[in-house]
Amino acid sequence: MYDPVQLRSFLAVAQALSFTRAAARLGLRQSTVSQHVRRLEAETGRALFVRDTHSVDLTVDGEAMVTFARDILDAGDRARRHFAAGPVRGRLRLGVSDDLISTHLPRVLRDFRHRHPLVHLELTVDLSGTLHHRLDAQQLDVVFAKRLAGQDRGRLVWRDRLVWLAAPGHRLGPDEPVPLVAYPPPSISRAQALDALGAAGRAWQLACTSTSLGGLVAATRAGLGVMAHSAELVPPGLVPAPAGHRLPPLGEVEFVLLHRDSAPADTVAALAEAILTAGARTAPAS
């Protein structure tokens, strides 16, 4: 049986096509992830990646292993749940940031409800900053949302870059004020965008404010402005803003899992396992 830890590291590299980004997403050192992959390659007797100093690509055997690894991890999860002491039950109030609920999370929640039908899940979708406040106010039990890079609160699910997105063909002169499409405060991506623009001395003006990702995407697709967003969660119809826009780098953002200490431990553990496993094995939809 292949080691699940090695399989999760392999899948993270397969998704990111980068040992550095995979290590960041898993919260491990790059040398540790490389060691996991080497051991898995030794176990299979096959090369799973073609690497050079500039790129990482899957071999044919590596592409086959992606399917096998997911199946093996799924089987292990099912076995652990089957032989658990008893069914997980209870009420769980889950808060999820808007940019996550529209991507890979629906499948995770559907699978969780199928595996734990006795858990009554109450879902709240909102800005990450608002969800943090609601957790502190004991209005939520579990939160899956963003935090600013460098903060240590919560359990890291993955780390990503923030990038500027625009509609294809969008034009902006290097000296023009940046037309900003953004969530309202206390949005974390908005705060990082304004901090970056301020540090660069770049003038900006608000082109659109919306509490929903759908509203931001529609405005950006219409060419009203540019938006700061996770590089791995790019909505269809948007592209990275051209280099000619001369927009400042936005830095990193981290997606984390947080919960109340008094929340029901077994239900929290079951949901955390579902989210963390999905974060390690599936790339967010783009």
Side-chain angles (χ1 to χ4, degrees), residues 20 139 145 191 207 223:
T20 301
Q139 297 171 353

Side-chain angles (χ1 to χ4, degrees), residues 49 102 114 194 225:
F49 293 104
S102 60
H114 176 73
L194 295 183

Side-chain angles (χ1 to χ4, degrees), residues 134-222:
R134 294 193 64 178
L135 183 70
D136 292 338
Q138 300 190 15
Q139 297 171 353
L140 296 170
D141 299 309
V142 180
V143 164
F144 182 28
K146 297 190 289 291
R147 74 179 178 196
L148 292 172
Q151 293 182 341
D152 58 2
R153 187 184 183 195
R155 186 173 180 182
L156 181 67
V157 180
W158 77 78
R159 185 180 292 113
D160 195 11
R161 293 178 300 114
L162 278 181
V163 295
W164 295 102
L165 299 181
H170 183 266
R171 295 184 179 183
L172 177 67
D175 299 320
E176 293 181 51
V178 176
L180 187 62
V181 176
Y183 290 112
S187 162
I188 288 176
S189 58
R190 175 192 175 110
Q192 288 192 228
L194 295 183
D195 286 348
L197 291 169
R202 186 71 185 271
W204 61 275
Q205 59 189 17
L206 201 58
C208 174
T209 300
S210 175
T211 57
S212 75
L213 178 62
L216 299 183
V217 171
T220 307
R221 283 179 181 164

Side-chain angles (χ1 to χ4, degrees), residues 20-40:
T20 301
R21 290 196 296 272
R25 183 184 302 170
L26 294 171
L28 300 174
R29 294 184 177 183
Q30 181 177 337
S31 59
T32 301
V33 173
S34 298
Q35 184 181 60
H36 290 168
V37 172
R38 284 196 300 271
R39 288 178 177 174
L40 186 60

Side-chain angles (χ1 to χ4, degrees), residues 10 14 17 41 44-51 56-69:
F10 162 75
L17 292 180
E41 288 180 322
T44 61
R46 306 289 180 90
L48 303 177
F49 293 104
V50 177
R51 335 163 173 55
V56 176
D57 289 301
L58 285 163
T59 64
V60 173
D61 289 318
E63 291 175 353
M65 178 55 81
V66 168
T67 299
F68 295 143

